[in-house]
Structure formats: C-alpha cells, structure tokens
Amino acid sequence: MPIQSICCLGAGYVGGPTMAMIAAKCPGIQVTVADLNEQRIAAWNSETLPVYEPGLDAVVASAIGRNLHFTTDIRAAIAAADLIFVSVGTPTKSYGIGAGRAADLRYIEAAARLIAEVSEGNKIIVEKSTIPVKTATAIKSILAANSPNGATFQVLSNPEFLAEGTAIQDLESPDRILIGGEATQEGQAAVEALVSVYENWIPRERILTTNLWSSELSKLVANAFLAQRISSINSISALCEATGADVDEVARAIGMDSRIGSKFLKASVGFGGSCFQKDILNLVYLCDTFNLPHVAEYWRQVVHLNDWQKSRFVEKIVRTLYNTVNGKRIAILGFAFKKDTNDTRESAAIQVCRDLLHERAHLAIYDPRVDATTIQQDLAAAGVDPALIITNVEICSEPYAAVTGAHALATLTEWDEFRSLDLPHIHSLMLKPAFVFDGRAVLCMEDLVAQGFEAFVIGKGA
C-alpha cells in the first residue's frame, strides 16, 4: 500500500527529529507529529525548538507548513494516517514488579488503545520506542480486542539508532535502517510499505528486514554493547591512573586492531543519556525473567562499573581537597550527558553534583545548553534537599564566572568550547592551590601543569 499520510505519537528527542527528516525527504507524504504536551508542540511550531540538535532547525524549517505538522489533536492525526509511529516514553519502572529494571509500558498500551478506538480501515503501526522483546504481541492483542470500527492492523518494529549530538547526520546517512515484521503476506507487505518510505533517500542495501523479535531485541543489544565498551575502557582508566599509563594511548593502540575498532573507547566520568542504562537494565530484567541469571549478572556489571566510575571521581575530589569539600566552591563545567545536546537524562553530572552536595560543597555550574530550571529539577529528583540546592548551587552564564573564587574545577561534559579555555586566566581567578579534575579528558595535562594547576585527568597517570 502506498503511504500518503504518517502520524507519529510523541514529539520528543526521537519523534520530532525523525519525522522532520522523513517530511524533508518525502515531500509527497503528509507527516504529523502529535503529542498531548501543549508546551512542547508550541515549541516545535516556534523558532525555538524544544530539542537542541545541530542542523535540526534547518530540517524542520524546510518542511514545516508544507508537509510537516505538529499538533495536540492526536485523534485526528491517527484517523488520517496510513502509518503510525509510536514514539512515546518507555521509562524504567520505579514501582512494583521489576522496579528499577523493567520498562514501564503504560504509555505504549495507552497509545495502542487510542489507535484501536480511533482507527478505520487498514493501518500500519510501527514501534519506534525502545521496548522489550515480544511487546509487539501485546500491542497486537490490544488492537485486535479494541477496534469498534473493524480496522485491521499490521505491527512493525523499527527501532531508532540515533546518537544525540549527531542525530541529523545519523538520520541523513544511517549505518542501517532495521525493520521487523511478521512472516505473513500482509506483514511483508507492511514491511515493504515502510521500506518504500526510507528508500526516498536511503540505499536499499542499508535497509535490513528481520522478524519482529530480532528487531525488538537488536535495539537493546546495540545499546548494551556500546555501553559495555565504555565501561570496559573506564575500568582500564583506573588501572592507568594507578600504573602511570595513559588511557588514551592504550585506547589508540587497541583501537587500531580491526577486530576491536576505535569507537566508544574514550574514557570518561561515566556514560549517561536516555538509553544506555535504561536499556541494559531492561535487558537484565528480560534475562532474569527467562531464567538466565548468569547472562543477567554479566550485563548488570556494566551498570555497576559505570556507577563506580562516578563515585570514584567524587572520592578523588574529596580526598584531594584535604578530605573535605564542606563550604568549598567547586566549578562544574558541563551538565548535559554529552556535548551538542541539552539532554540531561542519566547525565554523570547529576550523580557527581549530588554526591558533592551531600558533602556540603558549594557548586557553581555552567553548561552552554542546559537551563537553570532543568539543573535544579534534576538535582531535586536525584534526592538533593531543595533547601540545599537554593543555598549551595549557583548557575553561571559563562565558565569564568563559575571558576572565580573556586577551590577546584571539574569538567563533566566534553563541550568543544572547554578545549580552548584561557587556562592562565582561570588559574588567576581560582584559589590556590588550584585543582582541576577533568572527567572528560578535554584539557591537556601538560598545559594544566605548566600553568600551575594541581591536575587530575581521567585515565592519566600522575
């Protein structure tokens, strides 16, 4: 069936940019992004988008008002669509069975029930959210049992593999597009219908088709493998610090082995983002559910190592500052989980700042893209006393204000602007001895030492 109208439920980090790219590349298809959040939809329809992503503004501007629309009228969007992407949130459950590990699928179920209620004729439903394997079975069951208008549905899996900060590049020229469907005539016809959409700009050889379960599981496994590499190199960073080795030199040496490769071998204070920890914990829960405890424990250790890396960084700060940071000003450069995004979900900075505040440090925080409200809300959600946030947290508009009068400086996001900081000026603004704790290895150890800093760079021996 030719696709003439697409609806996406969810206008977040995945739904908004993905649909903007589809609209830009497929001018003959009407693309509508629907979300209950009126403020978010208003932002998408304004010049200040709710998502910061390099290049996103231009993509949205090229299609909005022509064949790209953002609306809160979800029912109308569903009714008009031939193909419906489900890109709603699937957070980790914080209650009940599977708390802290299992995916919370209430928004997926709510979306399925609404689609069933509103739809007529034939619809293709596409899982875009990250979900546990076999979720398609639940969606199909809900659709079949709740369609008063006699609509028929085909359910596909089309997971996203976007990296925040490079999402537009990833959408423009992806490594692969993965589509899973049922091995029936109707299922394969639905798969080909979605393939035809992507073929407007993506070579057919990069579009992989599998069964539903392989597609659903591949997303969790991809993120688990990437996170595993980060935890692996972070474990080696601790050994490098203890032995005098340089983790960047080690990473370069092993990365030139074609069997290993060089990507995701950058040591840091820890990984964050909306996917890695959530998806690994979901994978752990699935393995436990299918009575695979050894597999579950293997992947659980990836998360444990990541948490330890952040705790180790905080302990290094406290012990270096003479075993107390009570009342001391510490400049925090970077709060987003990585550069080129304003996303702070599971950011390493949250845990580091929380633990420093529990030690009663005074934090002066600067991030070029994360606003003060988000920082304060994230710290409160992490368990920091709101009164302590008011008294001990200062949000700064530029890095030099943050370091003025500081006992120490900690870099927690690898923003490019931090690489060109005026180190002599920073040294003159800080209390002496001036300590630097570089959790992203964006500053040169030799330059720091030459300027008189007491420097610690992650993965660098003393």
Side-chain angles (χ1 to χ4, degrees):
M1 58 181 291
I3 304 300
Q4 297 179 321
S5 177
I6 290 175
C7 164
C8 177
L9 302 183
Y13 279 87
V14 174
T18 303
M19 294 305 110
M21 183 61 70
I22 289 176
K25 297 296 186 179
C26 308
I29 300 176
Q30 291 297 313
V31 180
T32 302
V33 184
D35 198 298
L36 289 173
N37 189 319
E38 295 182 0
Q39 183 178 0
R40 181 180 299 166
I41 291 299
W44 279 111
N45 284 314
S46 73
E47 294 183 357
T48 305
L49 303 183
V51 172
Y52 173 72
E53 193 68 43
L56 177 59
D57 289 3
V59 175
V60 172
S62 72
I64 195 165
R66 180 193 67 191
N67 67 321
L68 176 62
H69 317 278
F70 296 92
T71 182
T72 57
D73 192 349
I74 296 178
R75 290 174 174 269
I78 292 172
D82 304 315
L83 185 150
I84 302 167
F85 285 96
V86 179
S87 187
V88 299
T90 54
T92 301
K93 284 184 70 176
S94 59
Y95 56 89
I97 298 173
R101 298 178 299 158
D104 189 340
L105 299 180
R106 55 181 160 162
Y107 303 118
I108 291 286
E109 179 174 344
R113 290 184 181 278
L114 183 58
I115 291 170
E117 178 186 341
V118 173
S119 295
E120 296 181 0
N122 301 317
K123 303 279 189 185
I124 299 174
I125 313 303
V126 182
E127 301 170 331
K128 200 66 176 174
S129 303
T130 302
I131 52 179
V133 63
K134 293 288 188 177
T135 300
T137 299
I139 293 176
K140 288 189 292 182
S141 175
I142 292 168
L143 292 171
N146 294 276
S147 181
N149 303 312
T152 58
F153 305 95
Q154 290 298 320
V155 178
L156 305 179
S157 170
N158 176 218
E160 56 85 15
F161 296 101
L162 306 180
E164 292 186 41
T166 60
I168 297 305
Q169 178 183 333
D170 297 338
L171 288 165
E172 182 92 37
S173 182
D175 291 336
R176 79 294 202 195
I177 294 292
L178 179 59
I179 302 172
E182 290 187 287
T184 63
Q185 183 176 350
E186 296 81 5
Q188 291 306 298
V191 167
E192 289 305 314
L194 182 54
V195 166
S196 71
V197 173
Y198 285 116
E199 277 188 314
N200 280 279
W201 79 98
I202 297 169
R204 183 62 179 84
E205 59 268 20
R206 290 197 204 170
I207 304 175
L208 308 181
T209 58
T210 67
N211 69 42
L212 270 171
W213 323 130
S214 295
S215 180
E216 288 180 335
L217 185 56
S218 292
K219 169 63 175 177
L220 296 182
V221 173
N223 281 340
F225 270 60
L226 294 174
Q228 177 200 53
R229 285 174 66 90
I230 297 174
S231 282
S232 294
I233 198 64
N234 281 344
S235 72
I236 301 304
S237 73
L239 184 60
C240 287
E241 292 161 23
T243 60
D246 185 322
V247 72
D248 287 337
E249 293 178 348
V250 172
R252 182 185 177 200
I254 66 173
M256 292 183 72
D257 188 324
S258 60
R259 298 167 300 174
I260 298 173
S262 61
K263 293 184 178 180
F264 280 78
L265 290 179
K266 180 65 176 175
S268 71
V269 68
F271 62 73
S274 62
C275 291
F276 281 2
Q277 179 164 306
K278 175 173 72 75
D279 290 355
I280 294 174
L281 292 173
N282 193 347
L283 187 61
V284 168
Y285 181 71
L286 284 172
C287 292
D288 280 336
T289 300
F290 288 105
N291 195 28
L292 298 169
H294 295 88
V295 181
E297 184 58 28
Y298 175 85
W299 290 108
R300 189 180 286 113
Q301 289 304 317
V302 174
V303 176
H304 287 173
L305 196 290
N306 191 55
D307 290 338
W308 175 76
Q309 183 80 337
K310 291 177 278 189
S311 298
R312 185 174 76 86
F313 188 76
V314 172
E315 184 176 350
K316 180 69 176 181
I317 293 174
V318 174
R319 292 195 180 281
T320 303
L321 294 182
Y322 315 111
N323 290 313
T324 180
V325 293
N326 191 319
K328 293 179 179 178
R329 181 181 177 91
I330 300 178
I332 302 294
L333 298 190
F335 201 82
F337 87 91
K338 63 183 290 189
K339 72 173 185 177
D340 292 334
T341 181
N342 60 348
D343 195 351
T344 61
R345 287 175 291 181
E346 301 296 341
S347 173
I350 297 174
Q351 181 177 324
V352 171
C353 290
R354 178 200 67 194
D355 292 351
L356 289 172
L357 287 169
H358 287 167
E359 294 283 344
R360 297 302 184 264
H362 283 257
L363 304 184
I365 303 174
Y366 166 73
D367 188 284
R369 289 291 174 179
V370 182
D371 58 64
T373 300
T374 298
I375 293 173
Q376 292 161 354
Q377 289 176 344
D378 285 345
L379 292 175
V384 180
D385 186 339
L388 193 61
I389 296 174
I390 293 173
T391 59
N392 285 40
V393 175
E394 174 188 345
I395 310 300
C396 300
S397 59
E398 50 96 15
Y400 300 103
V403 301
T404 300
H407 294 77
L409 158 66
T411 57
L412 300 181
T413 309
E414 69 280 17
W415 288 103
D416 289 339
E417 67 178 80
F418 298 159
R419 301 180 186 276
S420 57
L421 290 171
D422 186 340
L423 295 181
H425 184 46
I426 288 177
H427 189 266
S428 71
L429 294 173
M430 294 176 64
L431 298 182
K432 308 302 184 295
F435 294 95
V436 171
F437 301 91
D438 187 358
R440 294 291 177 179
V442 295
L443 304 175
C444 175
M445 171 72 88
E446 290 75 12
D447 291 346
L448 291 169
V449 173
Q451 295 302 326
F453 289 101
E454 297 289 332
F456 166 77
V457 178
I458 203 89
K460 309 285 185 178

